[in-house]
Amino acid sequence: GWDGAPWELIDPLLAQGRLPNLARLIERGISADLLSTVVPISSAAWIGAVTGRNPAETGVYGFFEPIEGTYEVSLISSRSNRATPIWRTLGRHGMRSVVVGMPVTYPPEPIAGAMVSGMLAPKESTYTWPPGLTARLREAGYVPDLGIWREANSISGPVLERQLRAKRRVVDELLAEQDWDLAWIVYKELDVLSHFAYDGSTDGYVAQLVQRLDEELGALMETVGPGTNVLVISDHGFHAFPASFYPHAWLLEEGYAVRSPDAPTAEDLERLPLAQRRALENSLQMAELDLERTRAFAGLSEGNFGSVRLNLAGREPRGVVAPEEADALLDEIQQRLAALRSPTGDRPLVARFWRREELYSGPYEDLIPHLLFETDLDVAVRPISHSQSFQLHAPGLFPDHRREGILVGAGPSLRSIAERGQASILDVGPTALHLLGREVYAEMDGRVLTGLLQGVGEPRVVAAASEAPGSRERSWLEDTSWSDPDMEEIKSRLGQMGYVETR
């Protein structure tokens, strides 16, 4: 996985001959736009890829989940995912996996094979299965997460290069040691750098890293050989947005949200690790509101996608919107958003709307905001602002996710198709299962991309309930003793700042 790779940069690099290994795959295989989740955020998208299930079924939507009975949130973990990832399915059938760098896999689960947790794994934790592997990786200088979520470190070229070298060593050793059926390797470095430096230029730092990742792709292809089916995916793309829209401020201006007169002030959030900063930003946003008079508040946003949640009576602790009034209120908010214009004034600000039920359904659908929207590609949707609701971002462009990622594949079971197709991130898991000769679950939202495959027959579909977990897997799933010390620190900090009652 190339986390964050966009065609808008990759196509020019391919045309310049700077991505020879990716070009070789495309020439002998397939390529497609890979549509991410709505909103396009790495947690929901990567978990969707490995499960084939939508966020209302996985329970993963964003990097935080609500704390029941409050307006507060806690950081997600591997235990937040309630759906079955592909490596667990394979393990039940005696097949082995090597999983390295996959987001939201901390704490690691006892898989058949080896797992090295990715984004959200603390550097000083035991972040591998088997546990003894962690010490070996630490000696090699490997870091499971690039110091953004858990530590407030900066990212530089030398840091990225050290990690790529350490990752190649780790991956080479694991692939040599393990008798594996599935290798799932994620390079999060591209996403991390793009948030700081993406501008669409073929001369910048991001383009250099994409070229560097093409070298890693070449090394991996050499390691696994031509008889292996290879898929290269990104969970979303990237874009440099020249303008920004702030739904939180807009809802306050329009009177759907009401500011509290005694909201606490924030400390300097920029110095904090991202996990703490995001939790505090959420608390800051909610503490700014008089919730007894607020009817709607801004939900998850990423790239040019945003959302609105209603302060619904019976669901929210201090909900004021009666359920029978919800549809009319959503209609009104949508109409007012639809009337806004883009910065140039020649087109609407919002290009598309969805109600929650149009997109996702499942046991965890309360995680999904009531109204979701996609803005013009010139406008990012940002979580919080205390100035105007609509402004040009200064200084310079704001790099963030766009929904369109990439899918490239080649191998004995993949056809050679010149035209670029289109697929969903949720199609990756079921397609990989079928390529490995396994049944596909009827409950999956994704589909097997049969039009891209050859020589593997039609998918066999079974009910997920027919799969019984093994004893080791069952004990991990039922273990409720795990807690995240970093999040305990965040909760303590929130209490000290007057955001939450700690009890």
Side-chain angles (χ1 to χ4, degrees):
W2 290 9
D3 197 321
W7 284 118
E8 71 176 44
L9 176 59
I10 284 178
D11 277 339
L13 292 175
L14 285 167
Q16 294 171 16
R18 291 164 61 183
L19 304 177
N21 296 300
L22 192 68
R24 208 159 72 241
L25 281 178
I26 293 171
E27 283 163 15
R28 65 186 178 93
I30 58 97
S31 67
D33 293 327
L34 194 64
L35 294 182
S36 189
T37 48
V38 176
V39 303
I41 192 164
S42 297
S43 52
W46 278 115
I47 292 299
V50 295
T51 62
R53 309 286 284 270
N54 82 70
E57 292 180 327
T58 66
V60 175
Y61 191 68
F63 284 102
F64 293 89
E65 54 196 359
I67 298 172
E68 193 173 351
T70 76
Y71 289 95
E72 302 307 321
V73 295
S74 62
L75 192 65
I76 59 171
S77 74
S78 57
R79 296 181 178 281
S80 304
N81 174 27
R82 274 58 164 220
T84 305
I86 184 171
W87 51 80
R88 203 181 293 161
T89 299
L90 295 175
R92 292 172 188 176
H93 294 276
M95 301 174 76
R96 298 176 65 81
S97 303
V98 171
V99 180
V100 178
M102 169 69 188
V104 201
T105 51
Y106 176 79
E109 63 179 283
I111 71 168
M115 173 176 282
V116 181
S117 299
M119 184 173 57
L120 302 188
K123 186 167 63 174
E124 301 307 320
S125 66
T126 298
Y127 55 81
T128 65
W129 179 268
L133 181 58
T134 298
R136 207 171 100 196
L137 268 55
R138 206 166 272 143
E139 282 177 24
Y142 185 82
V143 177
D145 193 353
L146 279 179
I148 296 297
W149 277 88
R150 299 287 189 164
E151 299 168 51
N153 292 340
S154 60
I155 295 301
S156 66
V159 168
L160 290 168
E161 181 57 32
R162 278 199 302 273
Q163 284 312 297
L164 288 174
R165 290 184 180 183
K167 182 171 279 186
R168 183 186 292 194
R169 181 176 158 190
V170 167
V171 170
D172 283 350
E173 289 178 1
L174 289 176
L175 294 182
E177 293 165 4
Q178 298 284 331
D179 181 19
W180 56 273
D181 299 282
L182 170 73
W184 190 285
I185 319 296
V186 177
Y187 292 85
K188 191 69 183 162
E189 293 85 353
L190 183 56
D191 189 331
V192 173
L193 181 67
S194 294
H195 274 291
F196 295 102
Y198 185 83
D199 61 2
S201 165
T202 57
D203 300 320
Y205 293 116
V206 175
Q208 291 174 29
L209 180 56
V210 173
Q211 279 189 258
R212 184 67 183 79
L213 288 172
D214 189 75
E215 294 176 21
E216 295 305 302
L217 173 62
L220 276 171
M221 287 163 60
E222 192 172 329
T223 297
V224 302
T228 301
N229 293 310
V230 174
L231 295 177
V232 178
I233 68 169
S234 75
D235 64 323
H236 51 71
F238 248 88
H239 187 67
F241 296 92
S244 299
F245 173 62
Y246 297 90
H248 174 66
W250 182 83
L251 288 165
L252 284 166
E253 287 177 6
E254 295 294 316
Y256 296 112
V258 177
R259 188 173 272 114
S260 171
D262 55 356
T265 56
E267 61 181 68
D268 182 4
L269 298 181
E270 287 304 312
R271 294 176 299 165
L272 296 172
L274 195 56
Q276 294 190 24
R277 195 191 320 161
R278 289 283 187 262
L280 290 167
E281 281 174 351
N282 175 81
S283 295
L284 175 63
Q285 174 178 312
M286 301 313 295
E288 193 177 6
L289 301 177
D290 180 344
L291 290 164
E292 272 77 16
R293 295 160 59 203
T294 290
R295 293 180 290 161
F297 46 89
L300 184 67
S301 62
E302 191 78 40
N304 60 320
F305 287 79
S307 62
V308 175
R309 297 184 72 96
L310 297 185
N311 195 19
L312 204 59
R315 192 197 70 179
E316 303 293 348
R318 287 182 270 170
V320 295
V321 178
E324 61 271 18
E325 298 169 356
D327 278 342
L329 179 56
L330 288 171
D331 284 341
E332 184 183 315
I333 292 172
Q334 180 171 329
Q335 285 167 13
R336 289 208 201 173
L337 281 170
L340 297 173
R341 307 300 291 175
S342 71
T344 54
D346 60 347
R347 53 191 185 270
L349 169 67
V350 180
R352 191 172 177 188
F353 292 95
W354 298 267
R355 295 293 172 91
R356 173 173 70 189
E357 55 273 16
E358 291 178 61
L359 280 173
Y360 303 125
S361 62
Y364 307 103
E365 61 189 30
D366 272 355
L367 291 171
I368 314 298
H370 296 95
L371 180 66
L372 300 102
F373 58 90
E374 176 184 6
T375 55
D376 185 275
L377 197 54
D378 281 343
V379 183
V381 184
R382 308 282 291 277
I384 196 163
S385 167
H386 305 290
S387 56
Q388 68 260 47
S389 62
F390 186 74
Q391 64 179 36
L392 291 177
H393 181 68
L397 301 170
F398 177 68
D400 206 358
H401 300 180
R402 63 178 295 174
R403 192 182 179 198
E404 296 81 9
I406 71 164
L407 168 65
V408 170
S413 306
L414 289 150
R415 297 172 59 197
S416 178
I417 304 174
E419 300 79 25
R420 183 173 293 168
Q422 190 173 91
S424 161
I425 190 77
L426 304 186
D427 299 334
V428 174
T431 300
L433 278 173
H434 186 52
L435 284 169
L436 289 163
R438 296 306 333 156
E439 298 85 355
V440 176
Y441 293 148
E443 292 85 347
M444 285 178 164
D445 300 287
R447 61 193 174 90
V448 176
L449 297 169
T450 51
L452 307 181
L453 309 181
Q454 61 183 10
V456 287
E458 289 298 309
R460 292 168 293 155
V461 181
V462 299
S466 65
E467 299 283 349
S471 57
R472 187 169 70 179
E473 175 190 324
R474 186 181 291 108
S475 65
W476 184 84
L477 290 168
E478 293 172 356
D479 178 15
T480 56
S481 63
W482 182 82
S483 66
D484 186 337
D486 280 15
M487 287 313 296
E488 295 302 316
E489 180 189 333
I490 291 170
K491 189 173 181 184
S492 169
R493 189 189 293 264
L494 288 170
Q496 293 162 16
M497 293 171 63
Y499 286 131
V500 297
E501 298 173 27
T502 51
R503 45 180 176 265

